[in-house]
Amino acid sequence: MPRAKRLMLSVYPWQQPQWQRLLAAAATDRLPHALLLSGPPGIGLAHFAQCLSGSLLCLDATQAGLACGRCKACTLYAAGNHPDTRQLVPEDKGKQIKVDAVRALIDYIHLSSQYGRHKVAVIDPAEAMNRSAANSLLKTLEEPPAGSLLILIAHQPSLLPVTIRSRCQHIKFPAADDEQARNWLQKQSSINRETLDDLLSASRGAPLKALEMAATDMLAQQRTILADLAALKQGRIDPVSTAEKWQGFGIAEVLSCLVVFFAEMSRLLLAPSPSAYKATINKDLQALTNGLDLDRLLRCYDTTLKSYHSVSGPISLNKQGLLEEIIIQWQSHAVGGS
């Protein structure tokens, strides 16, 4: 007979302040009925929600507030069979969470707890709820059943209606501290220091994103995009073929990369001091800023950020057109600023 999967959940080092805050609230019976966890992708918001859910459902939590991993509740939770918790995600990645799914979750959260403890429901990502779905959640947020906890995860909380945000306790997760991120990453893999700095710079301090990049060719793709920006500035390649090429990298990844690049170049123009990350990629960005106009660069950043938010949402857009617009704007501004 196969051994039961053991639940082993502990928060990441950079999540300790938020964890201690909620642990103290739970210890004094002041945990809110609804939490909004927000922060950039790649810092482990879903993992934090798992840790919190496991802790609240555990029958014998540790002194650190973590799930014990041994009790019946932990065994059920690890197997995905605990009756007092449920997660709501889009049916397909990038699609909307619709009203019927939210109503079903509301019906579930109003049922009595089978273990007589908490009922925990997680919505991830909360910004994927369409307007009707979000509105259907309001009454439950205003009048939550006793012992229930709704956890909303959002990387773009501004896309949520104000009525939703105002009814949740907002827990913000900034990018990870540089040294914490480095130390954690070094324990996870044998990445050399120089590559590690490049990964952290490219991921904007998101360790899980950096780890994902280390296991794929994403860093090489980002270096290709940076080289293409230089070639566009020099007029050596054209926007249409470049947009076609970049689509093969994944539009969300490309736009995220461009947001990082334009933000760092803007910072360098404002204060040409060494970056927090001693990354080789930042030396190339420094060279690329030569002759650029700050106002024009900030407009590129603004356009790219809006496009990134658009493609990260549930609505299908013309990817080729979005990329061409950004590339043409960059080339026009870069060449004009040279």
Side-chain angles (χ1 to χ4, degrees):
M1 183 176 179
R3 296 178 62 185
K5 181 180 177 183
R6 183 176 175 183
L7 179 70
M8 293 294 288
L9 289 177
S10 59
V11 296
Y12 295 119
W14 55 89
Q15 297 174 336
Q16 279 297 326
Q18 294 86 353
W19 179 254
Q20 294 302 325
R21 172 182 171 184
L22 291 177
L23 199 63
T28 54
D29 200 27
R30 290 184 293 107
L31 195 68
H33 291 291
L35 292 172
L36 172 59
L37 311 182
S38 73
I43 59 170
L45 295 184
H47 177 79
F48 186 92
Q50 283 185 320
C51 291
L52 183 58
S53 300
S55 173
L56 294 174
L57 298 171
C58 178
L59 303 177
D60 188 24
T62 68
Q63 287 188 343
L66 299 170
C68 73
R70 297 180 300 272
C71 68
K72 184 177 180 181
C74 284
T75 302
L76 288 171
Y77 186 65
N81 295 324
H82 199 294
D84 291 335
T85 184
R86 186 168 293 181
Q87 184 176 44
L88 179 58
V89 298
E91 291 183 6
D92 297 302
K93 187 176 180 180
K95 300 298 183 180
Q96 293 183 342
I97 294 176
K98 298 181 181 178
V99 64
D100 288 345
V102 172
R103 286 172 178 165
L105 188 72
I106 292 169
D107 290 341
Y108 164 79
I109 204 72
H110 278 82
L111 296 174
S112 298
S113 165
Q114 293 194 32
Y115 275 73
R117 294 173 65 83
H118 293 272
K119 292 273 290 190
V120 184
V122 179
I123 303 177
D124 181 20
E127 61 264 45
M129 290 188 292
N130 61 28
R131 178 65 66 172
S132 297
N135 287 339
S136 71
L137 195 63
L138 287 176
K139 186 175 180 181
T140 300
L141 291 176
E142 291 170 349
E143 303 174 9
S148 66
L149 174 63
L150 275 168
I151 303 176
L152 279 62
I153 296 175
H155 296 300
Q156 300 176 60
S158 61
L159 297 182
L160 285 169
V162 174
T163 49
I164 293 289
R165 283 181 277 152
S166 65
R167 288 164 173 78
C168 300
Q169 182 171 323
H170 195 170
I171 309 296
K172 298 179 181 179
F173 293 75
D177 174 81
D178 299 352
E179 281 307 311
Q180 281 186 327
R182 285 191 185 93
N183 292 338
W184 182 82
L185 280 169
Q186 286 179 326
K187 293 177 182 177
Q188 308 307 310
S189 64
S190 56
I191 306 170
N192 65 59
R193 184 76 179 196
E194 184 175 321
T195 302
L196 185 64
D197 287 338
D198 279 342
L199 288 167
L200 284 172
S201 180
S203 66
R204 302 190 78 180
L208 300 184
K209 181 69 172 178
L211 195 62
E212 178 189 353
M213 293 175 69
T216 64
D217 60 354
M218 291 171 63
L219 188 58
Q221 289 178 358
Q222 291 205 358
R223 286 173 172 149
T224 297
I225 292 170
L226 184 57
D228 287 344
L229 288 176
L232 286 162
K233 182 180 179 183
Q234 297 162 8
R236 293 189 285 109
I237 55 177
D238 70 277
V240 175
S241 62
T242 304
E244 291 174 352
K245 173 183 173 182
W246 287 1
Q247 275 202 78
F249 298 157
I251 188 166
E253 294 298 338
V254 170
L255 293 176
S256 175
C257 171
L258 290 173
V259 167
V260 173
F261 287 166
F262 292 151
E264 180 63 12
M265 283 191 283
S266 298
R267 187 198 67 78
L268 288 168
L269 284 174
L270 282 166
S273 57
S275 170
Y277 300 116
K278 306 295 189 292
T280 56
I281 205 166
N282 284 336
K283 297 175 183 177
D284 296 328
L285 286 170
Q286 176 72 75
L288 197 55
T289 60
N290 292 336
L292 293 184
D293 177 79
L294 178 60
D295 288 338
R296 291 177 172 181
L297 185 56
L298 288 173
R299 286 198 291 271
C300 283
Y301 170 81
D302 185 59
T303 299
T304 307
L305 185 62
K306 289 177 180 176
S307 296
Y308 174 70
H309 287 165
S310 297
V311 302
S312 300
I315 301 173
S316 298
L317 299 168
N318 182 342
K319 298 175 182 179
Q320 176 77 15
L322 278 178
L323 287 175
E324 286 183 17
E325 178 186 358
I326 292 167
I327 291 168
I328 290 170
Q329 186 179 23
W330 158 256
Q331 190 173 51
S332 173
H333 292 175
V335 172
S338 299

